[in-house]
Amino acid sequence: MIEVFVAYASGNDFHGSMIRKACEGASTPSRKLLPWSDRDTSGFPIAQSVEDWIERADSFIGDVSTVNDNVTFEVGLAIGLGKPCRFIRSTHVDFTPTKNIGLLDTLGHDEYGYESQLERTLKKNDTSSRWPDVPKLKNQPLFVLQPPTPLDWSVRLNSAVKKTARLRFRGFNPSEISRLSALEAYEQVMSSYGVISCWSPGQGEEARRNNQRASFVHGLAKGRGIPCLLIAREGEALPLDLNDIATRWKELSDFDKIISRFRDEVADLQNDFIETKSDRGNILDQVTCGDPTAENEAAGLSQYFLETEGFQKALNGEASVLVGRKGSGKTAVFIRVRDRTRTDKSNIIIDLIPDGYQLVKMKEYILDQLGHGARKEVISAFWEYVLWLEIAYKLIEKDEQKAYRDPALLVKFEKLQALFNDRVDTGAGDFSERLKRLTSSIVARFEAHKDDGQDIKDLKSSHVLRIIYGEDIKNLRATVLDYLRIKGFVFFMVDNLDRFWTPGGFTDDDALIVVGLIESMQEITRKFRNNGLDFRWSIFVRSDVYEFLVRGMADYGKLAVQSLEWSDRDLLKVMFERRVLSAFSNTTVGWRDLWGTVSDAYVSGKPVLDFLVDGSLMRPRYLIRLFETARRRAITFGRSRIVEQDYSSALKELGWQVIEDLDREIADLIPNGSDLLFEIIHAGEGLTVDKFRYVASKKLTDPESVNRLLEVMLWNGSLGVCQNGQPKYIFDCGYKRQYLTALIEADSDARLYLHPTLRAALA
């Protein structure tokens, strides 16, 4: 007899009763539908029982009407086990919460209203769309589902993965990409030898999103037999299916032991795994544009990276501040510059990708109590201290083995090591942990002065510097410079500076932190030059933040600023072609032959490459995501080529991603700016400057904020201005915001256009 396991959320008696009755009516002597509530759980852990039932079932049906972590885990488990899967949802239940999460709503499903319609649906054949064959990624064997907000424990977890597991990992970071589809999650899990997800406490929107993703990827991994951890704090109550299988932690030190054991499981799978070639022969399984997040592509980036002018200037030390919108490829440039300069082992390359929340405490306890001038002095001193310590740390890390084989080097090494250890206990952590520890020490020293009755505002400049440094750093600085005479150049690189922002928006203090870092880099450059040494530095900043906040504070004329924005459509097409062809590096396949095989040529009369570039807002991340979504959809429907409808549906899905991302970008720069983009979109067609200001003023009472909102939306590409009857966007005029502003000032009735990708989401 064929057994079909039917999963659904409990809590609504009428809904549950209807499903049970429909299952009974749809069952036959040769095929029985078994709703989970009919199974006997007495004497067995719930999770163990559910896993056993689904494993023994011949097929699986999941009701995705509501957001439910148990059902989502079971869906993932069934897919991981390779069961034929179908999904159903009630038309009487609001599907908006599921759509907002953006996970299970991307799976095809049958709708039903009442019992008779559901019964007919349940009688359908037990078949489902196939899932793609995904090769394992040996260079980045771990996949880590990051929590929505970095906290002490998540930083410690990442540090343990880097330092204890010593394995490269890919991750999904919700602060970078707001949506994760079911197919994307599937490909990330199936390409991994180990999967780590984290449980978020609470019932907020971000926690619900994270926990749905964690439930799904954990189910996928368990079903496929991939080592997996679901990390949760001890005592945290999880849904029944997950409560007994989560890995619990109590102290931060627990993560080292947890990851150490997990590393052994991953190593066992790596040793035992035998790659088998698929007999399906679908070329779309091989064609890929890669991951939209550069960190997840670090191992293979060299195969297809396009060396633009911005990259060359950064590599040669000619550009110090590199700016670009989110998704423009800043991190890809960061990775390639780092890897190219590392090839000379005498060079000292310090690449930092921090989590910014470590500075929140310093801002709250110190900066808020100081005047503007004193804040700037404190920040510059803090960064200079951090930078000298990081140079010392890198020298010690790099020469630890070499020094004990070279007596002449050992003397310098031990002196440097002693000076460094006097100032900071590094432990086994990465930069995020070291920065957190150092920040906490400085805050504690300031707090000690407050306990003595001294007001921070009344402290003299020299006293403030002593508190930050702990003691004079001249000796440490001189020792570092002396040590470097036997080395090549020092290249200091800092990426992801947008992660230093205050939650809820970018503040003047955040801008001061960036400016202070820039000034500290300039000061260290002068000291290196005075000693005949070569010091290079590059920091990567979001272009909107730099344009609207940092630029006005920094001495702009003295900075070597390089834009990483894309304005050449043909270059973006070349980048795309290289990425796709890199999967066929061992063959002589040509672009024209390959593209003609895997894709339709036109979408709504437009060449596909032009459609992809237009839909991307000139951001490589969106171009990659748009193509990959269309490719995955074609595979789901069993096609061997991507057709026009796949691209149209992919653009609609990307539209929601873009709306969410741009809304976050706006909220970073405009106080109370969250959700304003949705208000503007709902204003509909015929949007003029006056109408824009009217809609925005409902939430922003300050005219200056309304004008700033318009400028930010012009900058990020969500809005264009009519010129000669056609929309002109920021990337059509060399990212000269002043040009678009001039068009508006020349015509008070100038029409504004929402970008077509945003409109596609509402189509």
Side-chain angles (χ1 to χ4, degrees):
M1 175 186 291
I2 294 174
E3 292 190 352
V4 182
F5 184 85
V6 182
Y8 65 94
S10 60
N12 185 310
D13 291 339
F14 178 79
H15 187 212
S17 175
M18 181 172 64
I19 290 177
R20 291 192 296 274
K21 290 178 180 177
C23 286
E24 184 178 347
S27 295
T28 66
S30 61
R31 180 176 175 269
K32 188 172 182 60
L33 287 98
L34 301 169
W36 74 269
S37 59
D38 288 354
R39 310 309 299 261
D40 180 13
T41 61
S42 59
F44 296 95
I46 293 293
Q48 181 181 326
S49 300
V50 169
E51 289 178 33
D52 182 57
W53 296 335
I54 295 176
E55 188 168 1
R56 287 193 288 108
D58 297 290
S59 62
F60 175 90
I61 296 175
D63 187 300
V64 296
S65 303
T66 61
V67 177
N68 183 276
D69 298 317
N70 286 320
V71 172
T72 302
F73 166 73
E74 292 160 14
V75 168
L77 183 68
I79 293 171
L81 286 166
K83 302 292 181 181
C85 296
R86 289 194 295 113
F87 307 103
I88 56 176
R89 83 167 185 91
S90 170
T91 56
H92 298 288
V93 178
D94 184 8
F95 204 47
T96 303
T98 305
K99 285 185 175 180
N100 288 341
I101 288 169
L103 183 71
L104 297 189
D105 67 304
T106 61
L107 297 172
H109 56 261
D110 292 313
E111 297 180 350
Y112 65 91
Y114 292 104
E115 183 183 326
S116 59
Q117 186 180 2
L118 176 57
E119 185 175 320
R120 289 195 299 271
T121 297
L122 295 178
K123 288 180 178 180
K124 287 185 177 181
N125 292 332
D126 297 312
T127 58
S128 64
S129 301
R130 79 175 186 84
W131 294 77
D133 296 311
V134 184
K136 295 290 187 185
L137 292 176
K138 298 177 181 178
N139 291 326
Q140 289 178 297
L142 291 185
F143 174 65
V144 180
L145 184 72
Q146 305 282 4
T149 303
L151 297 168
D152 283 352
W153 63 267
S154 65
V155 170
R156 186 58 182 269
L157 170 63
N158 284 342
S159 178
V161 171
K162 294 174 187 174
K163 299 293 183 178
T164 303
R166 294 191 177 277
L167 292 171
R168 285 189 174 186
F169 67 92
R170 295 160 289 111
F172 175 80
N173 188 332
S175 66
E176 288 292 319
I177 298 179
S178 57
R179 297 174 79 84
L180 177 70
S181 72
L183 267 169
E184 287 177 284
Y186 173 87
E187 289 187 359
Q188 292 285 12
V189 170
M190 297 308 152
S191 63
S192 302
Y193 290 93
V195 175
I196 300 174
S197 54
C198 304
W199 190 264
S200 292
Q203 294 297 317
E205 182 180 350
E206 289 303 318
R208 293 184 78 190
R209 274 188 169 192
N210 175 80
N211 295 341
Q212 278 281 284
R213 294 164 181 157
S215 302
F216 187 64
V217 302
H218 195 71
L220 286 170
K222 282 192 74 69
R224 194 53 58 96
I226 298 170
C228 51
L229 293 177
L230 176 59
I231 304 289
R233 189 189 290 268
E234 188 172 293
E236 179 74 25
L238 271 63
L240 286 175
D241 285 0
L242 302 167
N243 198 53
D244 294 332
I245 59 179
T247 301
R248 305 289 185 160
W249 66 275
K250 183 177 181 181
E251 308 289 342
L252 291 180
S253 58
D254 294 342
F255 285 108
D256 291 332
K257 293 176 284 189
I258 290 170
I259 297 302
S260 180
R261 292 193 297 268
F262 185 63
R263 174 189 166 85
D264 292 339
E265 294 181 50
V266 173
D268 288 342
L269 178 59
Q270 287 178 304
N271 292 332
D272 297 340
F273 185 79
I274 300 175
E275 194 80 59
T276 56
K277 281 193 174 184
S278 170
D279 57 359
R280 289 173 173 169
N282 190 344
I283 193 171
L284 289 184
D285 287 337
Q286 305 171 54
V287 172
T288 177
C289 198
D291 195 292
T293 304
E295 292 96 327
N296 294 344
E297 293 279 289
L301 199 57
S302 61
Q303 299 178 38
Y304 48 76
F305 181 77
L306 187 62
E307 297 186 358
T308 60
E309 180 186 9
F311 164 78
Q312 292 293 346
K313 286 188 174 181
L315 182 66
N316 298 330
E318 299 172 14
S320 300
V321 181
L322 295 107
V323 298
R325 294 172 300 161
K326 288 188 73 170
S328 62
K330 297 188 299 297
T331 299
V333 173
F334 175 92
I335 291 170
R336 287 305 299 146
V337 171
R338 177 196 66 189
D339 293 349
R340 283 280 293 275
T341 50
R342 272 179 178 172
T343 55
D344 185 341
K345 300 300 182 184
S346 65
N347 295 333
I348 307 300
I349 314 303
I350 305 163
D351 57 309
L352 306 179
I353 306 179
D355 289 308
Y357 93 100
Q358 294 92 345
L359 298 184
V360 171
K361 188 175 182 181
M362 188 178 80
K363 287 188 286 187
E364 290 175 347
Y365 282 81
I366 301 173
L367 299 183
D368 290 348
Q369 303 177 55
L370 299 173
H372 179 85
R375 290 205 302 272
K376 189 173 181 181
E377 183 180 31
V378 166
I379 290 168
S380 295
F382 169 80
W383 275 124
E384 188 169 355
Y385 190 35
V386 168
L387 298 179
W388 284 110
L389 285 172
E390 284 303 309
I391 295 171
Y393 177 85
K394 179 59 70 171
L395 290 169
I396 293 167
E397 182 185 57
K398 188 178 182 71
D399 284 354
E400 187 171 15
Q401 300 297 324
K402 182 179 178 182
Y404 289 97
R405 299 193 300 268
D406 184 343
L409 178 63
L410 183 60
V411 175
K412 291 178 178 288
F413 178 85
E414 289 182 335
K415 180 181 179 181
L416 179 63
Q417 188 176 47
L419 286 169
F420 179 79
N421 289 339
D422 282 345
R423 285 166 172 78
V424 59
D425 173 23
T426 62
D430 61 0
F431 173 67
S432 293
E433 278 207 277
R434 295 195 299 276
L435 182 61
K436 171 179 171 291
R437 190 176 294 112
L438 181 61
T439 302
S440 297
S441 298
I442 292 172
V443 169
R445 292 199 287 268
F446 272 101
E447 288 292 299
H449 281 76
K450 286 176 64 177
D451 292 341
D452 292 340
Q454 300 184 57
D455 193 325
I456 291 178
K457 295 179 180 178
D458 298 330
L459 294 175
K460 294 181 179 179
S461 176
S462 59
H463 200 168
V464 170
L465 294 181
R466 283 200 301 273
I467 293 174
I468 292 173
Y469 296 150
E471 58 181 280
D472 191 12
I473 66 166
K474 289 182 180 178
N475 198 13
L476 172 66
R477 189 167 57 211
T479 303
V480 168
L481 291 170
D482 178 61
Y483 196 101
L484 286 168
R485 296 187 189 283
I486 59 174
K487 297 292 182 180
F489 63 75
V490 173
F491 202 141
F492 217 115
M493 306 172 65
V494 185
D495 191 18
N496 282 345
L497 274 178
D498 54 312
R499 294 184 187 173
F500 282 116
W501 303 172
T502 300
F506 194 84
T507 66
D508 286 345
D509 281 346
D510 296 306
L512 276 176
I513 285 175
V514 178
V515 173
L517 174 59
I518 290 171
E519 293 182 352
S520 298
M521 291 287 194
Q522 292 172 321
E523 178 62 26
I524 291 177
T525 301
R526 286 191 286 270
K527 287 184 169 62
F528 268 67
R529 286 175 179 168
N530 291 340
N531 285 271
L533 298 170
D534 186 1
F535 180 80
R536 306 175 189 180
W537 59 277
S538 291
I539 66 172
F540 294 74
V541 188
R542 257 174 54 185
S543 58
D544 55 345
V545 171
Y546 187 84
E547 176 78 8
F548 291 103
L549 294 168
V550 177
R551 181 174 176 172
M553 289 186 170
D555 189 349
Y556 183 76
K558 295 182 180 179
L559 294 177
V561 181
Q562 175 64 44
S563 172
L564 298 178
E565 303 287 7
W566 294 75
S567 56
D568 190 326
R569 296 170 57 88
D570 290 335
L571 273 181
L572 203 52
K573 292 177 184 178
V574 170
M575 181 277 296
F576 174 77
E577 291 177 13
R578 283 193 177 190
R579 292 183 73 104
V580 173
L581 283 173
S582 66
F584 299 86
S585 56
N586 296 326
T587 69
T588 58
V589 64
W591 170 253
R592 290 183 181 277
D593 292 338
L594 174 64
W595 191 241
T597 302
V598 302
S599 174
D600 278 1
Y602 296 93
V603 179
S604 300
K606 181 185 296 185
V608 169
L609 286 187
D610 286 314
F611 168 84
L612 293 172
V613 171
D614 288 344
S616 72
L617 287 77
M618 296 300 287
R619 303 192 192 196
R621 174 177 295 171
Y622 291 150
L623 189 153
I624 294 166
R625 195 172 183 85
L626 179 54
F627 173 76
E628 284 297 308
T629 302
R631 181 185 69 87
R632 293 184 181 109
R633 187 178 190 275
I635 291 174
T636 300
F637 282 97
R639 291 191 278 270
S640 59
R641 63 185 287 115
I642 310 169
V643 301
E644 183 173 347
Q645 183 57 45
D646 296 324
Y647 287 115
S648 299
S649 296
L651 184 66
K652 183 179 178 70
E653 185 173 326
L654 177 67
W656 286 112
Q657 167 83 57
V658 172
I659 289 172
E660 290 189 22
D661 289 349
L662 297 187
D663 182 62
R664 289 183 180 184
E665 292 178 18
I666 290 169
D668 283 339
L669 297 171
I670 309 294
N672 301 316
S674 179
D675 297 333
L676 269 170
L677 179 58
F678 295 93
E679 295 283 344
I680 302 299
I681 290 173
H682 286 303
E685 295 294 326
L687 185 65
T688 63
V689 175
D690 287 343
K691 186 176 182 180
F692 175 93
R693 288 182 172 138
Y694 173 76
V695 173
S697 63
K698 292 180 180 179
K699 192 169 184 181
L700 301 177
T701 56
D702 177 18
E704 183 69 26
S705 296
V706 174
N707 289 333
R708 172 65 66 87
L709 173 65
L710 177 57
E711 291 181 334
V712 169
M713 291 184 67
L714 291 173
W715 181 261
N716 66 30
S718 54
L719 281 182
V721 183
C722 181
Q723 184 183 36
N724 299 325
Q726 296 296 322
K728 179 79 72 173
Y729 295 97
I730 191 73
F731 28 79
D732 298 323
C733 56
Y735 296 90
K736 302 299 182 185
R737 178 169 48 91
Q738 298 84 348
Y739 182 86
L740 297 180
T741 303
L743 292 178
I744 291 173
E745 292 176 350
D747 182 4
S748 59
D749 294 323
R751 184 178 175 186
L752 301 177
Y753 288 89
L754 280 169
H755 192 277
T757 299
L758 279 68
R759 294 202 305 268
L762 306 178

